[in-house]
Amino acid sequence: MAQTKTIELRFIETSDVHGCFFPYDFINRRPLPGTLARAAHYIDSLRQHYGDKLFLLENGDILQGQPTCYYANYVHPELSNVAAKVVNYLQYDAQTFGNHDVETGHAVYDKWISELRCPVLGANIINTQTGLPYVLPYATFDREGIRIAVIGMLTPAIPFWLHESLWQGMHFEEMVSCARRWVDVVKTKEKADVIVGLFHSGREGGITTADYEEDATLRVAREVPGFDIIFYGHDHTIHHDTIENVEGNKVLCLNPSAHAHYVADARLTLTLQGGKVVDKKAEGRLVNIEEMPVHQPFMERFQSDIDSVRAYVDRKIGVSDTTISSRDAYFGPAAFTDFVHDLQMRITGADISINAPLVFDAQIKKGDIHVSDMFNLYKYENQIYMLRMTGEEVRRHLEMSYDLWVNTMTSPDDHIMQISEYNFNDMQRYGFRNLAFNFDSAAGIDYEVDVTKPDGSKVRILQMSNGQPFDPERTYNVVMNSYRGNGGGELLTKGAGIKREELAKRIIYQSPRDQRYYLMQEIEKMGYLHPRAHTNWRFVPEEWAQPALQRDRDIIFGTNGLK
């Protein structure tokens, strides 16, 4: 009779860390819960027990978010990237790309890859010159006669969100067919006993077009037999599912959300007879590390990095005579978003500015403005774009935005916002039905949003804000961020009706550096700031809209929401 043996493997995944390495919020200058400093404590305790049967996996979007990353990527790029130093110190076994890692540009991420001591995975990121993956498609590990393969993939939406200069020399394959091909490789060539997915793509849905499917993790789990566990991320939402695939086998799927508040933790128990795996059992959980102890050796190792970044972000660049809050931006004209509008138009001389709140609940307080405040004002390293658009295209762009954002009210008691009770823990929707970073407003034009009108007919543009007539047939210079200008969120393509292949021809200005850099320059030039909300647009009819706005504000930000 063949001898029976049991082996237990443990897997820990982090995803969408966005620079939250240390227990200090460099943006708001206060302690930060979670972070890799606390994950290090949890990882170390498991490593002492499991040894090399513990696998530590990092799932991308690690190069943008906190000023820690900006400092390493752009202020002192000649130094070793802190994201590489952290991954190396924690001894990760594999790392994938995230879309915000690609957004840093070749100079940053190619250097980061070269500094990492673990394999970087991206089976569907293809080098256009060689036809092979730009990085490794998978990594294999051998433990006590068991071969483990980890296959990495990235959402293929990159070309539809980011300028080609950032991903030049690459293309991005659809995930399901790519996964099927590489599962076959690791089964036949590598003789893998265990197959793990590491995907920077959300659970399901997201933006789905004829060209790409943003979030395809569960579809891969169902349609591509072979995976035992899939770790994923990108959509900033906690998920824990066990999926039955087309062959009737169970696939454990875990997503730890973002900013290192949680880690995904899976235990895989293998039963062997005669050296062959005859049974597998996967169990998983999402572990809250927000209040765990900080790992002191980790902190000691990186104290000089922490000190350098704090000195950078604490620098004063201006003074504001009022507090501005991104909360206001969802309920009408807001000083927070209008401040960005004003700066965008001053920098470029555009006729019209388009902008959305990119931080859900942030403030820049009255008084001194520091470099750190720029990361609340503008979250990611987008560039500034100016495009040529007709007046009618601007209106249709705004129509799609407000259709995603607000309800069609049929009575004064209706919600004015599109709210979903299921999305209050979704860190991209925050209680709204749709993605909050796609709620664009405009400056440079005066307009009304009639919430009693059907989708496609809510926005009525009255005039240019300088008093000149607004002409739907005229072409205007319109400023926005590069994510939107490249087609992100589909507001230009599906909304305004501009063909995607035409977008590049419409761009008449593209900033060499990121938007935050220019906003900071403008603030330093101005010195003393007077940010005020414009009165260029409003929700109508006001007798319905105003009470409904207050009710829904209480739901989103009050005791029933995220307060």
Side-chain angles (χ1 to χ4, degrees):
M1 183 176 178
Q3 184 179 8
T4 299
K5 180 181 178 181
T6 300
I7 296 175
E8 185 175 288
L9 305 175
R10 195 76 171 260
F11 298 86
I12 301 294
E13 178 223 13
T14 58
S15 188
D16 298 87
V17 170
H18 286 294
C20 294
F21 308 139
F22 313 121
Y24 182 74
D25 183 346
F26 294 94
I27 299 174
N28 298 298
R29 302 194 299 281
R30 64 191 181 196
L32 193 65
T35 76
L36 292 187
R38 292 187 173 87
H41 170 82
Y42 186 67
I43 293 161
D44 188 56
S45 66
L46 290 175
R47 193 170 270 143
Q48 289 180 32
H49 177 71
Y50 283 89
D52 68 356
K53 291 194 285 295
L54 174 75
F55 295 89
L56 183 58
L57 307 174
E58 214 300 304
N59 192 39
D61 273 11
I62 195 171
L63 290 177
Q64 278 193 6
Q66 278 281 323
T68 326
C69 295
Y70 189 81
Y71 185 81
N73 295 347
Y74 305 109
V75 180
H76 283 292
E78 73 279 6
L79 303 177
S80 295
N81 195 297
V82 67
K85 291 196 290 186
V86 166
V87 168
N88 291 340
Y89 177 85
L90 292 174
Q91 299 175 56
Y92 278 85
D93 293 285
Q95 164 86 61
T96 57
F97 265 99
N99 54 293
H100 285 293
D101 301 324
V102 178
E103 191 170 28
T104 64
H106 269 289
V108 174
Y109 61 73
D110 286 340
K111 175 176 175 287
W112 166 70
I113 290 169
S114 73
E115 293 170 352
L116 288 168
R117 293 200 293 266
C118 68
V120 179
L121 308 180
N124 66 330
I125 307 172
I126 306 303
N127 185 321
T128 55
Q129 288 189 330
T130 66
L132 301 172
Y134 188 80
V135 288
L136 292 174
Y138 63 87
T140 58
F141 309 90
D142 294 296
R143 301 292 186 268
E144 296 191 28
I146 301 296
R147 173 152 279 202
I148 302 101
V150 180
I151 299 173
M153 290 196 294
L154 168 63
T155 177
I158 304 302
F160 305 91
W161 297 347
L162 303 178
H163 191 270
E164 186 176 359
S165 61
L166 300 174
W167 46 271
Q168 191 170 24
M170 301 164 150
H171 74 263
F172 303 85
E173 293 184 340
E174 179 270 329
M175 288 178 60
V176 174
S177 59
C178 179
R180 189 172 286 118
R181 183 168 70 256
W182 288 106
V183 164
D184 184 60
V185 169
V186 299
K187 281 182 174 179
T188 56
K189 178 183 175 183
E190 304 293 350
K191 309 298 182 186
D193 301 293
V194 173
I195 303 177
V196 176
L198 188 61
F199 302 163
H200 195 89
S201 175
R203 187 173 186 266
E204 57 188 349
I207 297 173
T208 301
T209 74
D211 297 303
Y212 70 93
E213 183 178 3
E214 178 183 4
D215 297 331
T217 295
L218 291 199
R219 197 155 83 84
V220 173
R222 291 189 188 100
E223 297 180 19
V224 183
F227 288 101
D228 299 293
I229 304 170
I230 295 177
F231 295 103
Y232 66 108
H234 176 64
D235 58 9
H236 288 205
T237 305
I238 289 171
H239 295 300
H240 179 182
D241 299 289
T242 299
I243 300 300
E244 185 174 300
N245 68 23
V246 292
E247 291 185 350
N249 296 317
K250 304 294 185 184
V251 185
L252 175 65
C253 300
L254 297 173
N255 179 345
S257 186
H259 305 136
H261 291 288
Y262 289 80
V263 299
D265 183 346
R267 188 194 316 261
L268 183 65
T269 304
L270 306 169
T271 303
L272 288 73
Q273 285 185 355
K276 300 291 185 182
V277 176
V278 295
D279 187 55
K280 304 175 192 177
K281 182 181 180 182
E283 302 171 287
R285 59 181 184 145
L286 299 166
V287 179
N288 188 327
I289 60 168
E290 288 182 334
E291 303 303 329
M292 283 189 181
V294 168
H295 191 60
Q296 288 306 319
F298 179 92
M299 294 298 295
E300 291 168 10
R301 168 65 180 82
F302 292 103
Q303 191 59 54
S304 63
D305 295 277
I306 294 168
D307 293 342
S308 296
V309 177
R310 286 193 71 163
Y312 170 70
V313 300
D314 286 348
R315 183 170 69 86
K316 176 182 170 181
I317 58 173
V319 178
S320 174
D321 68 358
T322 190
T323 296
I324 59 175
S325 171
S326 63
R327 286 189 179 196
D328 300 332
Y330 302 101
F331 308 103
F336 192 95
T337 43
D338 287 340
F339 185 51
V340 177
H341 280 309
D342 290 343
L343 290 173
Q344 286 188 155
M345 294 178 77
R346 184 179 293 114
I347 291 165
T348 62
D351 303 308
I352 298 169
S353 171
I354 286 175
N355 178 47
L358 298 186
V359 181
F360 173 65
D361 189 13
Q363 283 188 341
I364 296 178
K365 293 183 178 180
K366 178 180 178 179
D368 291 347
I369 299 175
H370 299 87
V371 169
S372 57
D373 292 311
M374 294 298 93
F375 293 81
N376 268 329
L377 188 66
Y378 217 85
K379 189 174 184 181
Y380 296 118
E381 279 77 77
N382 297 151
Q383 296 165 279
I384 302 173
Y385 276 16
M386 187 158 62
L387 285 74
R388 299 283 281 165
M389 296 176 65
T390 68
E392 178 59 14
E393 288 170 343
V394 171
R395 187 196 67 80
R396 291 202 303 260
H397 179 115
L398 292 173
E399 285 286 2
M400 181 172 174
S401 170
Y402 286 98
D403 289 345
L404 294 171
W405 181 353
V406 300
N407 193 25
T408 299
M409 298 179 68
T410 58
S411 82
D413 298 325
D414 283 346
H415 289 295
I416 191 169
M417 301 283 108
Q418 289 209 42
I419 295 174
S420 171
E421 63 184 291
Y422 303 108
N423 288 340
F424 277 97
N425 293 318
D426 185 320
M427 294 177 68
Q428 294 181 312
R429 293 173 176 82
Y430 304 100
F432 292 101
R433 184 170 295 133
N434 296 304
L435 299 166
F437 55 79
N438 283 333
F439 296 168
D440 281 359
S441 65
I445 53 175
D446 296 345
Y447 62 99
E448 294 178 340
V449 181
D450 190 334
V451 294
T452 67
K453 299 293 186 185
D455 288 356
S457 305
K458 288 183 170 67
V459 176
R460 184 166 73 99
I461 301 176
L462 307 173
Q463 63 178 10
M464 302 299 292
S465 293
N466 62 10
Q468 294 181 0
F470 175 81
D471 185 352
E473 303 301 319
R474 181 183 162 185
T475 300
Y476 295 96
N477 293 339
V478 184
V479 63
M480 62 193 70
N481 68 41
S482 56
Y483 170 77
R484 189 70 78 234
N486 284 312
E490 298 185 283
L491 292 167
L492 285 175
T493 51
K494 186 176 178 181
I498 302 171
K499 292 180 180 179
R500 186 182 174 278
E501 56 270 22
E502 190 183 333
L503 287 177
K505 301 173 187 175
R506 299 290 192 99
I507 299 169
I508 58 173
Y509 172 76
Q510 178 181 337
S511 65
R513 297 191 61 166
D514 64 280
Q515 186 159 17
R516 191 187 301 116
Y517 172 83
Y518 297 101
L519 297 178
M520 196 183 309
Q521 279 194 327
E522 286 298 312
I523 290 169
E524 289 194 275
K525 286 180 190 175
M526 295 164 66
Y528 197 80
L529 311 180
H530 311 271
R532 296 291 186 271
H534 298 165
T535 56
N536 68 302
W537 70 272
R538 61 179 183 150
F539 291 117
V540 296
E542 289 190 319
E543 63 270 23
W544 284 24
Q546 292 307 312
L549 287 168
Q550 187 57 57
R551 289 196 306 269
D552 285 357
R553 187 183 183 110
D554 290 343
I555 291 171
I556 296 291
F557 290 106
T559 55
N560 296 322
L562 290 177
K563 197 167 183 177

